[in-house]
Amino acid sequence: MLNALEVVTTVVVGLMVGVEFSVAFVMNRILDALPEDSGQLGHAHGGRMLGALMPFWYVGSLVLSAIWAVAGWHRHGAGLVVTAAGLLIVSVAMSILLLVPINNRNKTWTPENRPADWKQQLNRWQSWHYVRVAVIVAAFTLLVCALV
């Protein structure tokens, strides 16, 4: 049963890393290259779409990692899992404190109502998102290492 939990947790976190990596290094570049207001509208739509899904994915990944840490406390690699769970806590805190407030504003913007500094706000979001991606990549790496 613990082996199944380890695999499910690793896959769930790995898929989350893949989505967030794609947002950071593929989707944002595509959206930023679109003409006129299309990119901002795409960012707003993505914020609504992923903003509804990602909280469950982040918290779910953290919960799965915490269960693995507790259930596998006696096993080799438990320290790696605890550290990964700690990094996932950091990613959730970063999301709530730094990224979600910007995303909540962005997802309501249209070309008619967006603030003058909307590009700076999106750039700030992207900068924090890069840091968050690094944190979850590190957590995922630790979970994979704990499997071996």
Side-chain angles (χ1 to χ4, degrees):
M1 186 67 151
L2 183 56
N3 288 339
L5 174 65
E6 293 169 348
V7 169
V8 167
T9 303
T10 304
V11 169
V12 167
V13 174
L15 289 171
M16 181 178 73
V17 166
V19 167
E20 294 291 35
F21 187 91
S22 176
V23 166
F25 297 103
V26 178
M27 292 309 302
N28 283 340
R29 295 183 195 275
I30 291 170
L31 292 173
D32 291 342
L34 293 175
E36 300 174 15
D37 294 323
S38 300
Q40 186 268 309
L41 293 170
H43 280 288
H45 182 65
R48 287 188 297 275
M49 232 175 78
L50 290 173
L53 171 66
M54 297 316 285
F56 299 103
W57 211 337
Y58 273 83
V59 172
S61 295
L62 173 57
V63 168
L64 286 169
S65 297
I67 293 169
W68 176 0
V70 171
W73 188 251
H74 62 283
R75 293 182 67 174
H76 173 76
L80 296 172
V81 178
V82 169
T83 305
L87 288 172
L88 291 173
I89 289 170
V90 169
S91 74
V92 169
M94 286 182 68
S95 297
I96 293 168
L97 298 173
L98 303 169
L99 292 136
V100 168
I102 297 170
N103 189 57
N104 284 343
R105 291 189 300 272
N106 168 54
K107 66 186 183 181
T108 64
W109 294 339
T110 65
E112 294 78 32
N113 73 358
R114 64 185 179 213
D117 71 337
W118 69 273
K119 285 184 181 180
Q120 291 83 1
Q121 290 190 52
L122 284 181
N123 287 337
R124 192 173 322 116
W125 185 92
Q126 283 185 328
S127 296
W128 284 117
H129 184 66
Y130 290 139
V131 174
R132 182 174 61 178
V133 168
V135 169
I136 64 174
V137 165
F140 175 65
T141 302
L142 290 171
L143 293 175
V144 169
C145 290
L147 289 173
V148 257

